[in-house]
Amino acid sequence: MKTFSKHPAPSERLERVSCPVCGGRGIRPFWDLGDFSFSRCADCGHVYQNPRPRPSDLALRYDNEYLDYEVRNAEAYLRLMLLGLGDLGFEAIEAALPSGRRFLDVGCATGALVEHAVRRGWEAEGVEVCGPAAEYGRRVRGVPIRTGTLQDAAFPEGRFDFVHSSHLIEHLPEPGEFLAEVFRVLKPGGYCATVTPNRDGLQARLFGGGWRSVIADHVHLFSRSGLLRLIRARGFTPLRTVTWGGIALGLAPASVKALLDHSAKAFGFGDVVAVLARKPISVTKLVKRQARRRIGAV
Ligand SMILES: [Zn+2]
């Protein structure tokens, strides 16, 4: 499937930033694509655009063209998101939660996953920075979608049981701040599922700067370890990591693709990585729970 991306507008201005994974400021050139380029952090190896376009300029790229792309691919993307959630054990989590459980999809595009969650009994809502896509979701699917970033939505602390984001974090200028906000809006014990292209995957290794995820709209390209480090640094406990996708459709005969897809998932070199992480239950609750167990054991 083709990945949608805009070319940088000539009016965009660049700024230098420090590494979001380790805070380091040293960089080495990595991939030069002409009108944008990626650097590699000299300290932790994270690959990201540095210098990068200013966040306000990046936000302007998500317009009507992006809406058309999302509408065309909504069914296919929903199918992939559900497969990913399945691999992360979503159904078991869902079954264990009481009624009134709350689901949030950040970067929800036209809200296909939000609509799916509502049908499964969740109180679900979405956040989408592309105004036309959010408006389409509200009008056509009838689901609640807030236009803007997660931070713009300013949800109350501890509102959600499950926060999902698929192919979002690599677009965000400040992925660490995003994860901190996900942590804040989750209930204690709540879950966070993060899906992003895998720079450790077979396709990234095979194609280098020609990898399909090396596009102007991806300001970060995470390795599995870099993503896990960022997630841990924001207080989460990672529970499960999966990767999938051995080779893109059309790049190999069907039998080879099937074999590579199977091996990629089994051995962790898939093209996409997904991490399920949990916000710890508060220390107070943990102590109370342990005390109850002790009393029960007497
Ligand atoms: Zn770094």
Side-chain angles (χ1 to χ4, degrees):
M1 202 172 297
K2 186 181 164 295
T3 307
F4 177 81
S5 185
K6 290 270 192 175
H7 275 278
S11 57
E12 288 184 5
R13 275 183 286 164
L14 301 176
E15 61 185 19
R16 287 212 173 267
V17 289
S18 52
C19 172
V21 173
C22 75
R25 297 198 70 85
I27 50 168
R28 310 250 187 281
F30 200 60
W31 286 319
D32 187 350
L33 283 305
D35 51 1
F36 63 99
S37 65
F38 285 85
S39 302
R40 188 183 179 99
C41 173
D43 297 312
C44 76
H46 178 58
V47 171
Y48 64 121
Q49 292 190 36
N50 189 11
R52 63 146 192 229
R54 290 180 309 176
S56 52
D57 288 335
L58 279 171
L60 295 176
R61 294 185 188 175
Y62 302 98
D63 56 12
N64 273 310
E65 232 182 301
Y66 173 79
L67 166 66
D68 293 343
Y69 169 81
E70 285 297 338
V71 169
R72 269 200 316 278
N73 293 291
E75 293 283 314
Y77 284 161
L78 175 63
R79 215 165 43 240
L80 288 173
M81 286 190 285
L82 294 178
L83 285 172
L85 281 166
D87 284 345
L88 291 175
F90 178 71
E91 287 189 10
I93 292 170
E94 184 182 68
L97 288 169
S99 62
R101 62 202 175 202
R102 289 205 177 102
F103 181 95
L104 175 67
D105 189 23
V106 190
C108 69
T110 63
L113 185 62
V114 178
E115 185 179 36
H116 178 85
V118 168
R119 286 192 185 140
R120 292 181 67 92
W122 290 80
E123 286 182 25
E125 52 195 306
V127 173
E128 173 53 51
V129 78
C130 172
E135 206 281 319
Y136 178 98
R138 288 190 293 266
R139 183 170 46 83
V140 177
R141 300 189 194 277
V143 291
I145 299 175
R146 301 193 191 196
T147 304
T149 65
L150 176 60
Q151 285 88 336
D152 293 338
F155 288 113
E157 189 175 331
R159 179 174 175 81
F160 296 100
D161 297 278
F162 201 107
V163 177
H164 172 268
S165 69
S166 181
H167 294 279
L168 170 77
I169 196 166
E170 68 274 16
H171 293 252
L172 301 177
E174 302 295 347
E177 287 177 17
F178 163 72
L179 286 171
E181 182 65 0
V182 171
F183 190 92
R184 192 187 70 79
V185 302
L186 272 173
K187 293 177 187 173
Y191 298 87
C192 157
T194 311
V195 183
T196 188
N198 178 18
R199 212 192 73 240
D200 291 331
L202 175 68
Q203 293 190 58
R205 288 168 194 265
L206 275 179
F207 301 118
W211 178 35
R212 61 177 173 169
S213 289
V214 182
I215 56 172
D217 288 349
H218 289 171
V219 283
H220 299 279
L221 290 168
F222 289 97
S223 65
R224 180 166 43 180
S225 59
L227 180 63
L228 284 168
R229 182 171 172 175
L230 196 64
I231 285 172
R232 282 199 189 93
R234 297 298 161 165
F236 288 101
T237 306
L239 300 178
R240 189 175 292 185
T241 305
V242 293
T243 77
W244 62 80
I247 196 87
L249 205 60
L251 290 182
S255 57
V256 176
K257 176 172 166 51
L259 180 67
L260 283 174
D261 285 352
H262 178 78
S263 310
K265 192 177 247 184
F267 299 109
F269 59 81
D271 197 46
V272 173
V273 58
V275 175
L276 178 72
R278 195 170 192 198
K279 177 175 176 173
I281 297 168
S282 76
V283 177
T284 322
K285 277 188 184 167
L286 263 180
V287 170
K288 279 186 187 163
R289 188 181 287 179
Q290 283 163 350
R292 273 202 304 274
R293 277 203 200 117
R294 275 199 300 275
I295 293 163
V298 169

